[in-house]
């Protein structure tokens, strides 16, 4: 008699029934992590007719020269990237007029900000920033064990720098200044930031987050790099995710004085910026002229959309970014998001605060204007 090769040997017992792990027996998270709110990313488009205007991404396709560089670099993805990002740091330094030793890179400006806070802050420290501002600020501060100190925006949706200066204590280690501010789009004036720096103790690090700086078209824009050169406690943060269109590759940088920049490189995730990202960023800087043209086109659309919305009765601040902001209480916010959803347009809603709408091509922006054409159709607040 033949037997199956899967027959159970004599005396063998049945396999034990599967058990469900007891969650209480799992290794616990740090209390600060367990209490953190998750970062809320912009909703993704689910169809060809949906306009994705929730994440401040560039609506332009990658530049052909950058795309070709990416294709070539991808052929070496089996090799680790240059951990020091030497070529990229040298190219950034030449572009902004500093020394390579004063540049640190990371996976997007948010990754570099995590390096900054991790290198300078810890339990018992405080970090001051405007609110509402970039949603990652309180999350990253909490991860260091420091205490977030949000300061409400001024009536014009910009930073209330006097109130922020008043919030600085002997426990303050850093202040985050987002200009143009996300999500309101407002830019910080040069003179106001100079007065703020004069009021802040020199041991407090002031990080000027310029993720959207390429879209600024003010007659006298903030010169954060000049402030960096004049003040040992100023650091400038920038990204390739927005105007440069490299959001999917994750590369940003800080311009910092040499001691801080070295510290940022020490705490960086090893090999955190891929070869593809490094080479795409270098090639993007080589194509700065083309990218300035794209940013100028976005700024022109911003003016057109802003003028049309104000003519329709909407009140909105003077954005200098690639988005516009509508202040809205919960009733108006829900009405706006519902109307945009029905029109196949994804926008970013902030409960209790408002709605942010990323600018895109003229045809898509016209879809936004069509939704908002009748201000009277929406609740007052």
């Amino acid at each position: 008699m033949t037997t199956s090769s899967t027959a159970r040997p004599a005396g063998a017992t049945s396999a034990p029934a599967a058990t469900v792990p007891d969650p209480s027996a799992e290794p616990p998270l740090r209390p600060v992590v367990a209490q953190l709110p998750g970062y809320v990313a912009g909703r993704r488009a689910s169809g060809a007719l949906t306009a994705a205007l929730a994440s401040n991404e560039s609506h332009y396709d990658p530049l052909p020269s950058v795309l070709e560089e990416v294709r070539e670099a991808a052929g070496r993805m089996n090799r680790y990237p240059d951990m020091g990002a030497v070529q990229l740091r040298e190219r950034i330094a030449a572009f902004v007029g500093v020394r390579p030793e004063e540049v640190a890179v990371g996976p997007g400006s948010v990754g570099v900000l995590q390096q900054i806070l991790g290198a300078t802050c810890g339990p018992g420290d405080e970090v001051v920033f405007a609110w509402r501002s970039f949603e990652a600020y309180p999350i990253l501060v909490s991860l260091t064990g420091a205490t977030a100190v949000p300061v409400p925006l001024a009536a014009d949706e910009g930073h209330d720098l006097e109130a922020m200066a008043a919030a600085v204590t002997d426990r303050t280690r850093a202040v985050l200044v987002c200009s143009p501010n996300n999500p309101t789009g407002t830019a910080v004036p040069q003179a106001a930031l100079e007065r703020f720096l004069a009021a802040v103790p020199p041991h407090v690090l002031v990080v000027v987050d310029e993720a959207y700086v390429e879209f600024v078209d003010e007659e006298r824009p903030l010169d954060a790099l000049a402030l960096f050169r004049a003040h040992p406690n100023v650091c400038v943060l920038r990204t390739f995710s927005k105007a440069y269109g490299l959001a999917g590759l994750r590369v940003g940088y800080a311009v910092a004085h040499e001691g801080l920049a070295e510290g940022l490189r020490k705490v960086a995730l090893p090999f955190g910026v891929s070869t593809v990202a490094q080479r795409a960023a270098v090639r993007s800087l080589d194509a700065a002229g083309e990218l300035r043209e794209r940013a100028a086109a976005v700024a022109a659309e911003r003016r057109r959309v802003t003028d049309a919305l104000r003519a329709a009765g909407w009140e909105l601040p003077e954005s200098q970014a690639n988005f516009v902001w509508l202040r809205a209480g919960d009733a108006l916010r829900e009405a706006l998001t519902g109307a945009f959803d029905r029109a196949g347009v994804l926008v970013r809603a902030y409960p209790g605060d408002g709605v942010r709408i990323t600018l895109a091509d003229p045809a898509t922006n016209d879809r936004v204007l069509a939704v908002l054409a009748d201000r009277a159709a929406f609740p007052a607040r």
Side-chain angles (χ1 to χ4, degrees):
M1 183 174 93
T2 60
T3 59
S4 168
S5 60
T6 59
R8 183 177 293 112
T13 59
S14 300
T19 58
V20 178
D22 179 4
S24 65
E26 296 177 6
L29 297 171
R30 290 170 55 209
V32 66
V33 175
Q35 297 167 10
L36 277 180
Y39 179 83
V40 180
R43 293 180 296 165
R44 310 306 302 173
S46 58
L49 298 180
T50 302
L53 307 183
S55 295
N56 293 343
E57 299 156 321
S58 172
H59 69 279
Y60 289 105
D61 292 334
L63 287 171
S65 61
V66 176
L67 191 56
E68 181 59 32
E69 188 76 18
V70 167
R71 291 191 179 107
E72 182 179 333
R76 293 185 58 79
M77 68 176 68
N78 57 310
R79 303 296 184 185
Y80 284 112
D82 172 15
M83 195 168 84
V86 174
Q87 182 187 15
L88 175 56
R89 286 172 44 225
E90 290 176 346
R91 188 68 183 83
I92 291 170
F95 183 73
V96 299
V98 300
R99 294 180 293 114
E101 293 80 11
E102 296 173 315
V103 176
V105 302
S109 58
V110 67
V112 182
L113 179 58
Q114 186 170 28
Q115 294 165 217
I116 292 171
L117 296 175
T120 61
C121 301
D125 296 330
E126 295 177 346
V127 179
V128 174
F129 51 84
W131 195 254
R132 181 174 284 273
S133 193
F134 183 33
E135 190 170 355
Y137 288 168
I139 297 173
L140 297 181
V141 171
S142 296
L143 283 174
T144 69
T147 299
V149 182
V151 176
L153 294 171
D156 64 357
E157 303 282 10
H159 285 54
D160 188 341
L161 290 174
E162 289 187 6
M164 291 175 68
V168 172
T169 71
D170 57 2
R171 296 174 58 190
T172 305
R173 290 299 306 275
V175 178
L176 311 180
V177 177
C178 187
S179 181
N181 185 48
N182 177 16
T184 62
T186 51
V188 174
Q190 182 86 12
L193 192 51
E194 288 176 346
R195 290 192 299 271
F196 175 78
L197 289 169
V200 171
H203 67 274
V204 174
L205 177 65
V206 178
V207 181
V208 184
D209 184 349
E210 292 195 305
Y212 301 93
V213 66
E214 292 84 4
F215 301 108
V216 175
D217 67 349
E218 291 181 313
E219 184 177 344
R220 296 182 178 178
L222 174 66
D223 188 347
L225 290 170
L227 296 177
F228 159 78
R229 296 183 182 98
H231 298 272
N233 62 330
V234 171
C235 169
V236 179
L237 189 62
R238 291 184 175 179
T239 185
F240 287 90
S241 294
K242 307 304 182 184
Y244 290 95
L246 304 185
L249 292 182
R250 314 308 303 134
V251 55
Y253 64 95
V255 178
H257 292 282
E258 191 168 345
L260 176 59
E262 182 181 1
L264 301 188
R265 292 192 290 273
K266 286 181 178 179
V267 302
L269 179 70
F271 308 110
V273 181
S274 70
T275 298
V276 173
Q278 291 183 37
R279 288 179 55 177
V282 169
R283 183 54 65 91
S284 293
L285 291 174
D286 292 340
E290 293 175 271
L291 289 163
R292 279 194 295 270
E293 291 177 2
R294 289 185 169 190
V298 172
E301 274 298 285
R302 182 181 66 219
R303 290 190 295 273
R304 182 179 76 88
V305 169
T306 298
D307 290 346
L309 290 177
R310 287 174 176 165
W314 295 94
E315 295 182 5
L316 63 164
E318 198 64 47
S319 175
Q320 287 291 311
N322 67 334
F323 53 83
V324 294
W325 169 253
L326 298 177
R327 172 64 63 176
D330 286 338
L332 177 55
R333 174 183 55 81
E334 291 178 5
L336 285 168
T337 54
F340 279 117
D341 283 351
R342 290 188 294 273
V345 178
L346 299 183
V347 297
R348 181 67 178 269
Y350 295 84
D353 286 313
V355 173
R356 188 193 69 196
I357 309 165
T358 304
L359 295 156
D361 59 278
T364 302
N365 294 335
D366 284 343
R367 293 172 64 182
V368 170
L369 295 177
V371 171
L372 301 175
D374 185 4
R375 175 65 181 88
F378 295 92
R381 299 191 54 166

